[in-house]
Every structure is written in C-alpha cells, then in structure tokens.
Amino acid sequence: VRSGRRACLKPSRKSMKKSNKIEFVSVVVPVYNEEGCLQELIDRTLAALDGCNRRFEFIMVDDGSRDNSAEIMKEASRKRPGEVISCILNRNYGQHSAIMAGFSQVRGDLVITLDADLQNPPEEIPNLIAAAEEGNDVVGTIRQNRKDTFFRRFASKIVNKVAQKATGVKMRDYGCMLRAYRRHIVDAMLQCNERSTFIPVLGNSFARNTCEIPVRHNERAVGDSKYSLWKLINLQFNLLTCMTTMPLRILTYFGLFAAFCGYLLSVYIVVRRFLWDDGDSWGQGGVFTLFAVMFIFTGIQMIGIGMIGEYIGRIYNDVRARPRYFIEEVFGRGEEK
Ligand code: UDP
Ligand code: MG
C-alpha cells in the first residue's frame, strides 16, 4: 500500500464532545500457536498500555493452540489479574471468530485489535487512542513498508477495492488488524449473527466517523503465517460473499449476454441457410467451433451453479445458527485464585 500521510486521512468533526475521552482501553489479540513470540508480545503490549495512563485490560484469546501458548497466557494473567485476561476457546475457530470471542468479553470504551505475531507493533496503541479521541468511531491503519509476499499484497488490493464498494467507506488498507473500535461499534458487531465475518469490514459498516493513520509493519517475529494458501482463498470467498451479492448479479448479466449472442448466431445461421443456400458443409465444418462454444457456456453454467451453491451453503450455516465459538474458560478476571 502506498505511503500515507502523517495526519488522519479523513478529518473528523472538530467539535470534541466530552464523551470522546477514553478512560478504559481493551486490547484483544487472537493467539494460535504463537508460543515463540507470545512473551515478547505480552511484555511490549503491557509496557505500551502502562504508558497510556488509563485503565486497561489485555484480552488474549487462545484459538485452540496446540503448543504452550495457553500456559504462557495464563501465567501472565496470574501475574497481573484483572488486567491480563486469558480467554480459552475449546478448539480452533479461525482468527475472526477468535476476535469475536474476545469482543464478547470486553469492558472498555475503546477496543483495539492486533495480531500476536508482532507484525503490528504494540507501541502504536497510544496513537490509535489519540486518533479515536478526535471523535472517530473506527481507527484504521495503513501499513508502511509492508513486509508481506507479493501474493498477499495482490490479494489485499482486490479485497480493499471490493470492501470500499460494499461498505461505502473508503479505507486504503482493510487487511491490517491493528485497529481501534469504539465500544458501540463492537456491540453492534456482536449482534451480527452471520458466521463468516471479516471484522474490519463489518466494523466500518457501522461507523459514522472513521480515519486511518500510518503505522509501522514488521516481519513476522517467529514461525510462519497461520494462513495456508487454501485458508487464504477461503478467506477471500468469505469476504466477497459476506459483503455483497454482486457476483450473483454479474452472473445474471453474463447469462443475458451469452443468451443474446446465441440468439444472434441462430438468426445468422437461418438467414445464411435460406439466402445463400450453400448446403450444410459450413455446418459440418463448424463442429469443433460448436464444441468450443459449448464448453465455454457449460463452464459458465458450472461457475454459476457453484456461486449459487456458495451462497446457499452460507444460508444453510446461518440457518443452523450454531455459535461461532465456545469459550471454555476465562482466566484472569481476578476472581479465581
Ligand atoms: N490466528 C488465529 N487463528 C487462526 C489463524 C490465525 O487466532 O486460525 C491468529 C494468529 O495467532 C495471529 C493472527 O491471527 O495472531 C494473524 O495470523 P497470521 O499472522 O498467521 O496471519 P497473517 O499475518 O499471515 O495474515
Ligand atoms: Mg501475521
């Protein structure tokens, strides 16, 4: 993403209402097999939050990790009960569901999300709080000198474009999870029952004032991305279908266009047969052309059916209305020993 300007890209209302003051900050971090960098994350985040001179809670959601992550989290909760909260899910539900689980636990006025792999520096938290206090409901971020592969960058280009169209909110960088949401936005998101959500887009669809600030972006501290190519493709599908039914409409236009062409072609064949009457040699010679045309249209039909199936699958999931996550244990509220 291109380099951004220093100030907020979209100026918000000047009038500072008294409710803009943020007294209590919640930080939500999804954690999935991150034992290598978790301790550093905890130390740096707590240092950043201590420097903010506000009440805070640091909620880590263990998304069914198979390594030692949950233990490290609980140890941190034991050291600072009431401030560091470990929320343990019973299995892996995916990044966005894990964040939702964290959202269900927040108590603060402002909720900040970030990744556990230290790609988003926790030191940016004060800047996010400052931008929110200017009266913004959602504070997005633009990654400076982004450290990701070409494929990831290309994918997020498309995502940003579609998201801008679907939500009507112009943000340059939807992919960065380092974000701040005011509490009422989080409450609105929690009321959404659809299963496949993409939190930055969902949040923006409820926001009145938004802004974006530039943040640093680092390489993953340890380990590999938890997204395989397959999981990424899935995410893109989720994104597209959760935001818009446009693909279905494109399909209709495509079908109309194809049908119209077929109609023209048939008229042409009939006219040619009667006017020139050059036998059916032309028709036989065109057998393979016919095949080609047929394959193209069969392909389009298959794509169409697949696309409809995609939406029906989603409707099915939403009708079943299973919970998006199960919280097994919340540790560190200060009530347990
Ligand atoms: N994550 C998660 N559940 C998953 C996959 C990822 O909670 O199934 C968390 C992960 O621990 C990290 C964040 O989501 O905090 C982003 O993951 P990752 O860094 O692997 O994604 P990328 O930076 O490649 O988009
Ligand atoms: Mg990452």
Side-chain angles (χ1 to χ4, degrees):
V1 177
R2 284 154 291 163
S3 67
R5 273 158 271 154
R6 279 286 124 193
C8 274
L9 293 180
K10 203 174 152 202
S12 51
R13 301 275 175 293
K14 275 270 146 40
S15 57
M16 274 269 282
K17 282 173 276 164
K18 63 178 184 312
S19 61
N20 281 344
K21 184 91 185 88
I22 287 153
E23 267 139 29
F24 190 171
V25 180
S26 304
V27 176
V28 175
V29 181
V31 177
Y32 180 52
N33 296 341
E34 306 277 11
E35 63 180 0
C37 49
L38 199 53
Q39 194 55 51
E40 190 187 341
L41 171 87
I42 294 169
D43 295 341
R44 282 172 59 184
T45 311
L46 286 178
L49 284 169
D50 281 333
C52 289
N53 297 321
R54 286 179 173 83
R55 263 185 84 198
F56 70 82
E57 58 179 4
F58 177 33
I59 303 177
M60 285 178 283
V61 185
D62 172 49
D63 189 16
S65 300
R66 298 202 176 276
D67 62 2
N68 226 5
S69 301
E71 273 318 305
I72 300 174
M73 284 161 51
K74 283 187 176 174
E75 186 51 41
S77 295
R78 249 175 242 125
K79 279 193 197 134
R80 299 185 67 161
E83 286 181 331
V84 179
I85 290 139
S86 313
C87 177
I88 317 285
L89 305 187
N90 61 345
R91 73 162 177 85
N92 181 250
Y93 289 94
Q95 181 187 2
H96 291 264
S97 298
I99 296 176
M100 278 299 198
F103 280 173
S104 72
Q105 300 295 316
V106 297
R107 297 175 176 177
D109 314 318
L110 185 74
V111 182
I112 295 174
T113 57
L114 62 120
D115 281 351
D117 57 358
L118 293 168
Q119 283 191 294
N120 317 129
E123 289 74 29
E124 301 278 359
I125 289 175
N127 301 338
L128 286 169
I129 298 176
E133 280 189 331
E134 278 167 23
N136 293 300
D137 303 318
V138 174
V139 181
T141 49
I142 303 175
R143 288 168 281 191
Q144 305 289 296
N145 56 38
R146 194 170 160 192
K147 302 278 198 321
D148 270 324
T149 57
F150 170 77
F151 176 73
R152 300 294 308 259
R153 286 206 301 266
F154 178 70
S156 42
K157 264 235 168 74
I158 300 175
V159 168
N160 288 340
K161 276 270 138 49
V162 179
Q164 280 173 13
K165 273 258 147 39
T167 57
V169 181
K170 281 227 156 45
M171 276 212 175
R172 287 231 218 122
D173 193 351
Y174 272 97
C176 187
M177 287 316 269
L178 179 59
R179 272 158 187 277
Y181 308 92
R182 281 201 175 255
R183 178 61 176 278
H184 67 269
I185 303 279
V186 169
D187 288 341
M189 284 197 258
L190 284 171
Q191 283 185 25
C192 293
N193 287 319
E194 71 246 43
R195 251 108 282 274
S196 38
T197 42
F198 191 78
I199 287 169
V201 175
L202 190 65
N204 264 13
S205 58
F206 297 119
R208 186 200 295 266
N209 302 319
T210 61
C211 80
E212 278 186 303
I213 60 172
V215 293
R216 278 166 295 137
H217 191 241
N218 301 319
E219 302 221 32
R220 199 171 218 294
V222 220
D224 293 324
S225 171
K226 302 292 178 282
Y227 279 98
S228 60
L229 180 65
W230 190 240
K231 249 181 155 179
L232 262 183
I233 293 173
N234 260 345
L235 190 72
Q236 307 291 336
F237 258 112
N238 267 355
L239 245 175
L240 207 71
T241 53
C242 86
M243 285 186 300
T244 167
T245 47
M246 195 61 187
L248 287 176
R249 201 167 310 147
I250 293 174
L251 194 74
T252 315
Y253 291 139
F254 227 71
L256 277 176
F257 178 71
F260 183 66
C261 290
Y263 174 73
L264 284 188
L265 188 67
S266 59
V267 169
Y268 171 72
I269 291 171
V270 170
V271 169
R272 182 171 171 149
R273 187 81 175 86
F274 280 108
L275 287 193
W276 286 284
D277 193 26
D278 48 359
D280 61 353
S281 60
W282 180 80
Q284 257 173 19
V287 160
F288 289 103
T289 326
L290 201 66
F291 263 108
V293 172
M294 205 188 73
F295 279 138
I296 291 173
F297 288 122
T298 317
I300 292 174
Q301 280 173 356
M302 296 260 209
I303 295 171
I305 294 172
M307 207 124 68
I308 293 170
E310 190 74 31
Y311 282 96
I312 292 181
R314 259 146 238 277
I315 295 170
Y316 176 58
N317 267 338
D318 284 359
V319 167
R320 269 197 310 190
R322 289 203 188 159
R324 261 173 298 193
Y325 49 79
F326 274 109
I327 298 178
E328 197 173 271
E329 182 186 3
V330 178
F331 191 85
R333 279 279 178 222
E335 286 119 26
E336 61 279 274
K337 290 246 283 182

